[in-house]
């Protein structure tokens, strides 16, 4: 399982990278894209949308299933990645480069409540999902 150590994670298989400007970039983990299979459709939120923590704000759809992607923290969407909307397979090719959206956190302290790579790996293994 490919898990960059510099990212934060959620139990729902999202990754979160804090950027220098205080925004966060969000995508789905390598584990999530592998479980879904070949992605054929991605829907990202529009810039300016305010989202609550754990709110469904994206959709990723594969030949097997459609899944919601949840906001790991509350905030305002500052950008959606049109490139993955146009070419969803990018998420399968490199899920950590093919981000879904960027968020300005409502409360940056909430980032401290997210999982580190070791905790995420342990959760996936405990669920028998690896």
């Amino acid at each position: 399982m490919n898990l960059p150590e510099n990212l934060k994670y959620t139990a729902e298989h999202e990754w979160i990278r804090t950027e220098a400007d205080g925004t966060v970039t969000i995508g789905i983990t390598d584990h999530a894209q592998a479980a879904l299979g070949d992605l054929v459709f991605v829907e990202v939120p529009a810039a300016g949308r305010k989202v609550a923590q754990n709110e469904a704000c994206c959709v990723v759809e594969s030949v097997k299933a459609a899944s919601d992607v949840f906001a790991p923290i509350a905030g305002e969407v500052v950008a959606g990645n049109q490139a993955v909307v146009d070419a969803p397979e990018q998420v399968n090719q490199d899920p950590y480069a093919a981000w879904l959206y960027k968020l300005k956190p409502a409360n940056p302290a909430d980032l401290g409540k997210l999982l580190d790579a070791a905790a995420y790996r342990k959760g996936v293994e405990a669920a028998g999902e690896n």
Side-chain angles (χ1 to χ4, degrees), residues 1-56:
M1 182 172 18
N2 178 15
L3 283 178
E5 294 291 328
N6 64 320
L7 303 177
K8 294 287 193 172
Y9 299 90
T10 68
E12 292 76 30
H13 311 293
E14 290 96 18
W15 60 261
I16 302 91
R17 181 178 60 231
T18 302
E19 305 297 347
D21 64 1
T23 62
V24 294
T25 301
I26 299 158
I28 63 170
T29 65
D30 185 48
H31 172 76
Q33 70 77 25
L36 284 166
D38 293 337
L39 294 183
V40 295
F41 176 80
V42 173
E43 179 182 72
V44 298
R49 177 176 169 186
K50 290 190 179 356
V51 296
Q53 185 174 18
N54 299 321
E55 177 181 339

Side-chain angles (χ1 to χ4, degrees), residues 43-106:
E43 179 182 72
V44 298
R49 177 176 169 186
K50 290 190 179 356
V51 296
Q53 185 174 18
N54 299 321
E55 177 181 339
C57 58
C58 288
V59 175
V60 290
E61 187 175 326
S62 72
V63 292
K64 293 197 258 182
S67 294
D68 288 328
V69 177
F70 301 92
I73 59 171
E76 181 178 341
V77 176
V78 294
N81 188 354
Q82 187 61 42
V84 297
V85 172
D86 295 341
E89 66 276 5
Q90 291 180 29
V91 177
N92 294 114
Q93 293 162 0
D94 188 349
Y96 300 109
W99 56 276
L100 299 177
Y101 64 103
K102 294 180 185 263
L103 192 67
K104 179 181 176 185

